[in-house]
Amino acid sequence: MAQKEAVKQKVVTGQKMKMTPSEAIVETLVQENVKEIYGIVGSAFMDMLDLFPTAGIRFIPVRHEQSAAHMADAFTRVSGTAGVVIGQNGPGITNMVTSVAAAYQAHTPMVVISPSAGTPTIGWDGFQEADQVSIFKSITKETVRVTHTSRVADCLRTAFRIAYAERGPVLYDIPRDLFYGELEDQILEPHQYRTDARGSGDPALIQKAVELLKDAKNPVIISGRGAVDADGVETVVKISEHLSAPAAVSYMHNDAFPADHPLAVGPIGYMGSKAAMNTIKDADVLIAIGTRLSVFGTLPCYDIDYFPKNSKIIQVDINPRNIARTHPIEVGIIGDAKAAGEELYKQLLKVQPEPSKNTERMAEIAKRKEAWEQELVDLAMEPGNPINPRRALLELTRALPENTIISTDIGNVSSTANAYLKFNQTRRHIAALTFGNTGFAYPAAMGAQLAEPDTPVAAIIGDGAWGMSLHEVSTAVEQNIPVIACVFNNKSWAAEKKNQVDYYDNRFIGSDIEAPDFAEVAKSMGALGYTINKPEEIGPVVKEVLEKRKPAVLNIYVDGTQLAPPFRRDALKMPTRFLDKYKHLDHENWKK
């Protein structure tokens, strides 16, 4: 009863109070609307951890710290609130390197509370000591070090300020002894110490962009994650409709433009939409809104070198470092995707009050989309043993409700999903993106589920990546997080196997996987488990799982010979061997 009453009490902001450092940290987190923190319990931060229940903060204990930052990453992408992770100093924090790096590449605001070795023993190579600041410098926007107990709240405010303003993770490093003691400080509200509003950009550049768009014959839009984060997709739609400009979405951000819109042409990048690629290559003016136009996300695909070489590019991005970073531009606008989009639309209406009505172009777009959709179905309907992976993807996307959040891992089947995933709402597609680490999708799905508890959430994962994820099923069961793990089981590291097919004469080294029955493993951990060998089983199983609202694992056996093209044709070469010992491995010999 005492604890329930304590939760209702609010600390008065704006006036100095006597506090412990742990109290100052926790109250700053409360002001930042932090409701969950992910990690594994450790003695280094236990004094602060003890305050969480009374403060109304739920600690989500994972089975491996890498999962913690993936959960926080996805939570942020869905909710818009910066996720927070914590771990024991040394190995607990270094276990997060991969997932923090993934969040860094994804431009996800996050705060990593990093307890470190106590100040009396720094530099003595004590138990669980590591130079965490140096380790995280290149994969965070900033590393903020607490140097004195009086600075704990101030430094945490700085961490949140930078995380939101620069769109990425920040390390908040605090020696473990600095959680103890006392200080006098004031708890501030976020508006008193941070803002991340960038406005609409330079008016002259907006006007230059408008002139280009007004005169364009074949304008095309690429909408990216920045438009989603800024809640600016509706504005992108208005621009698209006014110009009769088809709109693609950037690589693995399939929720950045409504798929059911007549002007939507789908995703670009690896295993994206041929309709999008064939449309973009004809653009005379290309407007990229909220996307950095990554190198990997604009590489040729399906032997289509689609990214235009002579198109005039208008790029809108909140981060000036991303402007013209990968492709030369005509106009670069540093600004918030929504604010800049609204200003572009407003100025377009002044110079071109009536919407463009290019019926011929609209008909061509519809024809391309119809042809691509039919090709996707035809490819999926080719027989597989036991199931064509494309057929499994098709049946899965048909069975899941429209508002489902779907996370995708990296790998052959997960990446093929890029062609099949369609969303009409934002913040539905949570992908591993260009950092491309396996083991992302399942903890990300859990983080997304925590952000929207009543929304169906599914993860698309290969059996290789599942080996890095399945331990978290016990977390989902323990915390009652009803995510659906859709494990595409082809008994191989299939993306690498495809390289060995195309470049190494079917010499399969390290790419075959022997694994237990994942459905039975799931059941032993307290989750629902289903083994699927026929495509017709997918829909009914998904329906049953959605009704039961419990953590579930779908072990879907798919054909290991039906593989998508290699990820990195640009980085692979046919093998050449000079030493006699290895001559038989030379491609000139094995191809004969």
Side-chain angles (χ1 to χ4, degrees):
M1 182 67 182
Q3 183 155 306
K4 286 183 180 178
E5 290 300 318
V7 173
K8 294 179 182 178
Q9 295 175 9
K10 289 188 177 180
V11 171
V12 178
T13 59
Q15 66 181 45
K16 285 204 169 186
M17 297 169 287
K18 184 178 179 179
M19 297 175 280
T20 68
S22 290
E23 289 171 331
I25 293 168
V26 168
E27 282 305 311
T28 301
L29 293 171
V30 168
Q31 289 302 315
E32 282 288 354
N33 198 32
V34 174
K35 304 294 187 187
E36 290 95 7
I37 293 179
Y38 314 92
I40 293 179
V41 62
S43 61
F45 61 95
M46 201 163 280
D47 188 68
M48 182 180 75
L49 180 68
D50 188 53
L51 304 178
F52 284 1
T54 304
I57 295 173
R58 179 183 176 189
F59 183 66
I60 308 289
V62 295
R63 298 306 187 265
H64 190 286
E65 286 93 352
Q66 178 173 321
S67 302
H70 283 325
M71 290 178 75
D73 183 353
F75 176 88
T76 303
R77 294 197 220 177
V78 173
S79 69
T81 300
V84 178
V85 295
I86 194 166
Q88 178 71 358
N89 60 280
I93 297 299
T94 60
N95 274 349
M96 297 181 191
V97 167
T98 295
S99 45
V100 171
Y104 178 78
Q105 291 278 25
H107 309 287
T108 302
M110 178 190 297
V111 172
V112 182
I113 298 179
S114 167
S116 54
T119 54
T121 62
I122 290 175
W124 282 356
D125 297 329
F127 183 62
Q128 297 183 322
E129 180 176 357
D131 185 355
Q132 293 154 204
V133 169
S134 295
I135 291 169
F136 279 81
K137 266 190 181 298
S138 64
I139 55 170
T140 55
K141 293 295 182 180
E142 186 61 82
T143 54
V144 180
R145 305 186 81 161
V146 178
T147 56
H148 192 269
T149 52
S150 64
R151 297 284 308 284
V152 292
D154 171 64
C155 289
L156 187 54
R157 291 192 289 264
T158 296
F160 276 101
R161 180 164 58 247
I162 296 171
Y164 278 111
E166 299 192 21
R167 310 297 302 173
V170 174
L171 188 82
Y172 170 79
D173 190 80
I174 172 170
R176 55 183 295 163
D177 56 308
L178 297 191
F179 286 101
Y180 302 94
E182 61 181 61
L183 67 144
E184 280 203 4
D185 200 358
Q186 54 184 328
I187 300 301
L188 301 178
E189 296 178 23
H191 77 270
Q192 295 178 283
Y193 58 85
R194 67 172 176 84
T195 180
D196 57 342
R198 294 290 173 91
S200 59
D202 186 333
L205 292 173
I206 293 279
Q207 200 57 49
K208 187 177 179 181
V210 166
E211 290 300 314
L212 282 176
L213 291 168
K214 176 176 70 72
D215 298 330
K217 304 298 181 189
N218 290 304
V220 179
I221 295 169
I222 298 177
S223 181
R225 177 70 202 185
V228 174
D229 285 339
D231 295 322
V233 172
E234 288 184 9
T235 302
V236 178
V237 170
K238 288 193 294 186
I239 295 170
S240 172
E241 291 174 344
H242 192 76
L243 296 170
S244 284
V249 291
S250 62
Y251 177 62
M252 285 296 184
H253 293 304
N254 295 19
D255 56 352
F257 197 88
D260 62 356
H261 195 284
L263 287 163
V265 290
I268 61 172
Y270 179 69
M271 301 307 291
S273 161
K274 287 185 181 179
M277 296 172 193
N278 287 319
T279 299
I280 286 173
K281 71 179 184 180
D282 296 332
D284 58 344
V285 176
L286 181 66
I287 175 166
I289 304 179
T291 170
R292 60 194 170 102
L293 297 174
S294 73
V295 171
F296 182 74
T298 53
L299 285 174
C301 190
Y302 312 116
D303 296 321
I304 307 171
D305 189 4
Y306 65 90
F307 201 84
K309 306 296 185 293
N310 300 312
S311 174
K312 293 177 179 178
I313 298 176
I314 302 164
Q315 188 177 9
V316 179
D317 200 280
I318 200 167
N319 186 347
R321 291 192 180 201
N322 290 336
I323 303 289
R325 184 180 177 189
T326 55
H327 299 278
I329 61 165
E330 191 69 21
V331 181
I333 298 169
I334 301 167
D336 174 82
K338 182 177 182 179
E342 288 287 358
E343 190 61 26
L344 276 169
Y345 180 64
K346 178 180 170 184
Q347 297 304 323
L348 269 171
L349 289 176
K350 288 183 179 179
V351 299
Q352 185 181 316
E354 294 300 318
S356 169
K357 292 181 180 178
N358 192 334
T359 53
E360 185 178 332
R361 194 169 189 225
M362 292 284 287
E364 179 62 26
I365 292 164
K367 185 178 175 182
R368 283 176 180 164
K369 288 170 65 176
E370 185 180 353
W372 175 236
E373 289 303 313
Q374 189 59 52
E375 183 176 344
L376 288 176
V377 173
D378 291 344
L379 288 168
M381 291 303 173
E382 291 177 5
N385 183 21
I387 306 175
N388 180 340
R390 287 176 173 271
R391 176 70 184 279
L393 286 168
L394 184 65
E395 296 297 336
L396 184 64
T397 54
R398 285 173 171 174
L400 289 168
E402 184 181 304
N403 68 329
T404 303
I405 298 170
I406 300 179
S407 65
T408 54
D409 222 282
I410 199 73
N412 202 268
V413 179
S414 297
S415 297
T416 302
N418 191 27
Y420 289 87
L421 296 179
K422 299 174 179 65
F423 303 93
N424 296 318
Q425 297 172 242
T426 62
R427 303 181 189 272
R428 304 297 96 181
H429 191 191
I430 312 297
L433 304 178
T434 52
F435 191 63
N437 70 288
T438 49
F440 167 84
Y442 190 66
M446 291 196 293
Q449 186 71 87
L450 289 166
E452 289 194 17
D454 298 325
T455 300
V457 179
I460 292 175
I461 319 157
D463 53 330
W466 186 238
M468 298 184 181
S469 314
L470 62 82
H471 53 277
E472 295 299 349
V473 172
S474 57
T475 302
V477 171
E478 176 187 271
Q479 300 296 320
N480 193 27
I481 306 173
V483 296
I484 308 169
C486 305
V487 183
F488 287 72
N489 192 339
N490 51 23
K491 300 182 180 180
S492 64
W493 289 101
E496 305 312 322
K497 195 164 196 173
K498 180 59 172 170
N499 292 336
Q500 291 171 333
V501 169
D502 288 0
Y503 292 87
Y504 296 97
D505 198 23
N506 294 291
R507 295 191 293 273
F508 301 125
I509 303 167
S511 54
D512 290 319
I513 295 173
E514 290 294 330
D517 185 324
F518 295 136
E520 292 303 315
V521 173
K523 290 176 186 177
S524 73
M525 300 169 85
L528 303 173
Y530 301 82
T531 295
I532 295 175
N533 290 290
K534 296 178 182 178
E536 297 81 9
E537 297 170 350
I538 294 173
V541 167
V542 169
K543 184 175 184 292
E544 181 179 329
V545 168
L546 288 170
E547 288 171 353
K548 290 186 174 180
R549 290 299 285 164
K550 289 182 65 178
V553 176
L554 280 54
N555 184 24
I556 307 170
Y557 282 108
V558 295
D559 194 322
T561 67
Q562 294 175 311
L563 301 172
F567 272 80
R568 296 301 309 277
R569 276 184 176 163
D570 62 310
L572 288 162
K573 295 180 181 179
M574 301 304 287
T576 300
R577 309 291 182 241
F578 293 110
L579 294 177
D580 288 342
K581 181 179 180 180
Y582 303 111
K583 273 290 184 182
H584 66 289
L585 302 177
D586 192 298
H587 74 99
E588 292 291 343
N589 292 325
W590 59 257
K591 286 188 76 175
K592 291 177 182 177

